[in-house]
DNA sequence: CAAAAAAGAGAGCACCGCTCTTGCTCTGGG
DNA sequence: CCCAGAGCAAGAGCGGTGCTCTCTTTTTTG
C-alpha cells in the first residue's frame, strides 16, 4: 500500500488536515484578515510555534486555503454542469452561473479570499493557477459543446480586437471561433462582477429579488457568448 | 468669516488632512491590510495615541479613505462624462467605463479598498453611500440622456423579473423604462467585474491587449443597456 | 483671570507573526 | 538491537499591532 509510509507520515497528514480545517472554520467566521495562526494553534491545543512545522508562514496557510477554495468552487460548477447533461446549452450555462453564485453566498469569506482583493503582500503563487482555472474550464466546455452542437450566434468582431481575440482563442479553446473566446472571457469576468457586487453589499438598497435578477443577468451573459435564446 | 473659528480649529483640520494624506500614501504603497496607525503616526512625528484624537479607530480612518476613494473615482467618471457632452451616448458610456478602468489602474489599492473584499469584520457605514453612488449616477445619467434623445433599444423583460425591474427603476431612475434600469444595474456590476479581474490578476496569461479587450467589452455593456450601436 | 476643553506624551495591555533553543519521541540503517 | 539523526512540541522572546489610560501642557472661553 502506498499509505503504509508509517505512522509518522499519517500523523503529519492528519495534523495538516486538522490545521486546515480549523483555519477554514476561522476563515468562515472571521474572514481572512482576522485569521490568526495563534488562534488556530490554540483551538488545536498546540503552541503556535509548533504550527510552523506544517506551514512555514501564515501566507502559506492562506495559499493552501485559496487552492482549496478554488477547488471547492470548481467542484460546485462541475456538478452543476453535469446535473443535466442533455439540457440546452443556455440552461446549462445559467445553471453553472447559479452554482457559482450559490457557492459564493454559502462561502462568502472564501469567495472574498479568491476573488476579492489580494490579501497579503502579493502572494498568488503559480500553484494556485490550475485550481483557479477550473470554473473557467467549465464555462468553456459548455460553449464548446454548443458550438459543436446547435452552433453559436455571435456578431463579428471589430478589426482592432481581432488579433487579441485570436490569441485568446488559441490559448483557451482553439476549436472555438475567436469572437466566442473573447465573449467568453468577458462574460467570465462579468459573472464575477455580478456575484461580487451582490456579496459585498453593493446591491444593498438597489436590488431586492436577487435570485430573479441574477437569473436574468446570467441569461444575458449566455446570449453574450452566443448561446441560443430560449 | 466662517474660517475664523480660531487657530485651534484650523490646526485640527490641517492635522486631520496630514493624517489622511500619510495614510493614503501608505495605502498606495502597502495596501489596506498593511496600513498601520502607528506607522502613520511615526511618519508624522506624533505618538500613536495622539492619533486617536482625530480618528477614533483604525476602521474610522479607513472609512475616511474609502469615502475619499469613492469621491476620487466619481470625479474621474464625471470628468469623462463631461469631456464630450455632444458625443453619441454609446461613446460617452465607453468613455466613462474607460475612465473607471484608468482610475482603477492608477489607484489599485484604493480600488481594492472600495470594490475588493470588505477588509476586517467591518461593514461600510451609511456615510459611504452617497460617495459610492456617484459613479453609478454618471452611468444612469448617460442612459437617461440617451432615452430622452435618440432612444433606447432593449428586449422586453421576462415576466418573473418585471416587478423587480420596476422597483429598481422606481428607486434609481423613475424616468427610465424598467428594462433599462435592470440592464443598467447589471452592466454596472459587470463593468466592475471586468475592471477587477484585470486589476487582481485574473487576466494574467489570458488577455494580453487589455486596452482593446476592455474597449470591446465596454461597448458590449453599452449595447446591453440599450445604447445604439455604432 | 480662572475654569474648562483640547491636545500631546508615555506607559501599558493583549494580541499578532515569527525565530530560536531545548528537550522528547519515533524511525531507520548498521 | 541500538543508537544517531530526524521529526516534533514546547517555551521564551523579539518587534510589531490596535487601543486605553493617565498625566501634563496649551489654548479657548465664560
Amino acid at each position: 500500500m502506498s499509505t503504509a509510509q508509517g505512522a509518522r507520515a499519517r500523523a503529519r497528514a492528519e495534523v495538516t488536515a486538522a490545521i486546515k480545517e480549523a483555519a477554514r472554520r476561522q476563515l468562515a467566521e472571521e474572514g481572512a484578515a482576522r485569521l490568526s495562526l495563534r488562534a488556530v494553534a490554540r483551538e488545536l491545543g498546540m503552541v503556535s510555534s509548533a504550527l510552523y512545522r506544517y506551514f512555514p508562514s501564515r501566507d502559506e496557510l492562506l495559499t493552501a486555503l485559496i487552492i482549496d477554495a478554488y477547488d471547492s468552487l470548481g467542484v460546485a460548477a462541475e456538478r452543476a454542469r453535469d446535473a443535466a447533461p442533455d439540457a440546452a446549452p443556455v440552461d446549462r450555462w445559467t445553471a453553472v452561473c447559479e452554482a457559482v453564485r450559490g457557492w459564493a453566498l454559502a462561502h462568502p469569506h472564501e469567495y472574498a479570499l479568491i476573488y476579492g482583493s489580494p490579501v497579503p503582500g502579493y502572494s498568488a503563487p503559480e500553484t494556485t493557477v490550475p485550481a483557479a482555472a477550473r470554473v473557467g474550464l467549465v464555462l468553456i466546455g459548455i460553449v464548446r459543446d454548443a458550438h459543436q452542437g446547435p452552433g453559436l450566434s455571435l456578431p463579428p468582431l471589430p478589426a482592432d480586437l481581432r488579433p487579441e481575440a485570436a490569441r485568446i482563442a488559441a490559448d483557451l479553446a482553439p476549436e472555438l471561433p475567436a469572437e466566442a473566446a473573447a465573449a467568453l472571457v468577458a462574460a467570465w469576468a462579468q459573472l464575477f462582477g455580478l456575484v461580487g457586487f451582490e456579496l459585498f453589499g453593493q446591491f444593498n438598497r438597489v436590488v431586492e429579488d436577487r435570485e430573479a435578477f441574477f437569473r436574468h443577468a446570467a441569461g444575458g451573459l449566455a446570449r453574450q457568448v452566443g448561446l441560443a435564446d430560449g
Side-chain angles (χ1 to χ4, degrees), chain A residues 57-76:
Chain A
S57 75
R58 179 180 180 276
D59 283 2
E60 293 277 340
L61 175 55
L62 268 182
T63 300
L65 296 182
I66 286 175
I67 293 174
D68 285 1
Y70 272 128
D71 274 327
S72 168
L73 171 62
V75 166

Side-chain angles (χ1 to χ4, degrees), chain A residues 38-103:
Chain A
R38 289 179 116 113
V40 169
R42 219 174 301 136
E43 182 176 324
L44 265 53
M46 339 173 52
V47 98
S48 77
S49 59
L51 240 154
Y52 287 82
R53 300 258 169 213
Y54 299 88
F55 293 93
S57 75
R58 179 180 180 276
D59 283 2
E60 293 277 340
L61 175 55
L62 268 182
T63 300
L65 296 182
I66 286 175
I67 293 174
D68 285 1
Y70 272 128
D71 274 327
S72 168
L73 171 62
V75 166
E78 287 159 11
R79 262 208 269 271
R81 175 196 57 188
D82 300 335
D86 298 325
V90 60
D91 292 326
R92 298 173 69 210
W93 171 277
T94 55
V96 169
C97 289
E98 284 174 337
V100 169
R101 170 175 177 266
W103 186 92

